[in-house]
Amino acid sequence: GEVDVDFAGSVIELKDAYVKYTFDSDNVNIKAGHFRESFGMETLTTSRYVTFIERSFMAKLDPSRHLGVQANYWDDTFLVTGGIHFNTVGDSEEVIFSQDANKDFGVDEGYAYTGRFVYKPINDKEKVLHLGVAATHRTPQTTEEVTNSYRFSTRSHTSINRKKYIDTDNILNVANMNMFDFELAASYKGWMFQGEYKIANINRRNDLSSVTLDGHYLQAGYLLFGGKYNYNGEDGEFTRITRGKKYGELEIAARYDYINANDF
């Protein structure tokens, strides 16, 4: 099991809090609690090991942590995960939103079915090729301020400017949302490449037109002192690097980030 709590900004935030059972085969487990859904390679990578200080704009579409139950299978070549998820463990304001939605409108908390498949045709100590696809079918959650709505918003990559860089405002009368994610990643010794393309289709009630958001990012890195990128096959993500010198390592990296939140 694991419990991970954040106290930044004088606010208590529950991150990972789950129990996990691993079967005798050692490559099948089931976990239940509050944890990241299996969607988005960059989001699933812990903040200790992401290449940049902030994740890409597209990562804001990823569902991240919610209550739920998930099963996982992996071996040297494949990774398969699937689960059912519900609300997040929110702050006091989100709790009030959820209670009011149930009391005033009889709305339940919402649910999501999320799964991910990763194929690793090359996976050894020096080189990796990673091909992945993930999908999620979701209904609106009651932690939103407006019932039966979705809102996508993000600041820029830094928080120096607190204005929202992109904001769809509340997308109303939502029935459900379907999202797909396509992953491509590779590494060879001190070289690394990673990219994802995501698309979200939001279906609305009362014959209202659907809303589509999409985007992608491409990033690459190189370790200057002879270090090596390492890959976690159990979780399908890059993990802690091996430094090239005893005293440390220096990495150069670049990313191209694009998102289209316009739908007329």
Side-chain angles (χ1 to χ4, degrees):
E2 178 182 351
V3 176
D4 182 5
V5 181
D6 191 347
F7 298 94
S10 300
V11 177
I12 297 176
E13 180 184 1
L14 182 66
K15 292 185 176 291
D16 290 321
Y18 63 83
V19 292
K20 179 170 67 176
Y21 179 81
T22 301
F23 292 88
D24 292 339
S25 62
D26 288 337
N27 61 349
V28 177
N29 64 50
I30 295 177
K31 63 180 180 180
H34 191 254
F35 53 90
R36 287 189 177 99
E37 296 183 35
S38 56
F39 191 97
M41 183 178 184
E42 188 182 28
T43 295
L44 290 168
T45 302
T46 178
S47 58
R48 299 192 303 276
Y49 304 143
V50 292
T51 302
F52 296 92
I53 295 174
E54 298 293 341
R55 294 180 173 91
S56 65
F57 290 135
M58 288 308 304
K60 297 295 183 180
L61 284 177
D62 297 341
S64 193
R65 293 180 175 92
H66 290 91
L67 293 167
V69 179
Q70 179 177 296
N72 308 282
Y73 166 80
W74 71 96
D75 60 20
D76 291 338
T77 308
F78 298 102
L79 167 66
V80 182
T81 67
I84 180 170
H85 304 269
F86 305 97
N87 256 347
T88 184
V89 177
D91 58 27
S92 59
E93 186 178 45
E94 290 175 319
V95 170
I96 292 173
F97 291 158
S98 189
Q99 291 175 343
D100 287 349
N102 181 263
K103 178 183 67 175
D104 297 339
F105 304 106
V107 178
D108 66 27
E109 66 182 54
Y111 63 88
Y113 300 112
T114 304
R116 182 179 182 226
F117 174 79
V118 173
Y119 175 49
K120 302 167 283 184
I122 302 174
N123 182 18
D124 58 40
K125 292 183 179 181
E126 288 194 340
K127 53 189 180 296
V128 169
L129 177 60
H130 166 116
L131 305 169
V133 60
T136 182
H137 172 80
R138 326 181 61 78
T139 60
Q141 294 185 330
T142 51
T143 48
E144 297 286 342
E145 184 175 6
V146 178
T147 305
N148 294 324
S149 73
Y150 276 116
R151 182 177 184 175
F152 168 76
S153 65
T154 178
R155 296 183 176 91
S156 189
H157 287 118
T158 72
S159 294
I160 295 173
N161 184 348
R162 301 294 290 175
K163 293 290 186 180
K164 290 298 180 80
Y165 180 66
I166 293 174
D167 191 351
T168 64
D169 208 339
N170 293 310
I171 301 170
L172 305 176
N173 294 302
V174 172
N176 56 66
M177 176 169 65
N178 297 309
M179 293 175 56
F180 300 92
D181 180 31
F182 302 92
E183 310 165 4
L184 173 62
S187 67
Y188 177 68
K189 296 182 178 179
W191 294 89
M192 180 274 291
F193 169 84
Q194 181 176 317
E196 295 181 74
Y197 170 75
K198 304 174 196 282
I199 183 168
N201 187 260
I202 302 170
N203 301 305
R204 298 195 290 166
R205 296 186 172 96
N206 304 324
D207 296 324
L208 294 171
S209 61
S210 62
V211 177
T212 300
L213 312 175
D214 74 329
H216 62 272
Y217 73 89
L218 304 169
Q219 66 186 37
Y222 177 62
L223 302 173
L224 296 177
F225 295 166
K228 183 174 72 71
Y229 287 99
N230 296 308
Y231 178 78
N232 181 345
E234 179 179 343
D235 295 326
E237 63 191 42
F238 288 111
T239 184
R240 179 181 297 177
I241 67 168
T242 299
R243 62 183 186 267
K245 301 294 184 182
K246 185 177 181 180
Y247 53 80
E249 182 58 77
L250 183 63
E251 179 185 38
I252 58 172
R255 177 169 65 194
Y256 176 80
D257 197 1
Y258 173 82
I259 187 168
N260 181 4
N262 296 319
D263 190 319
F264 298 101

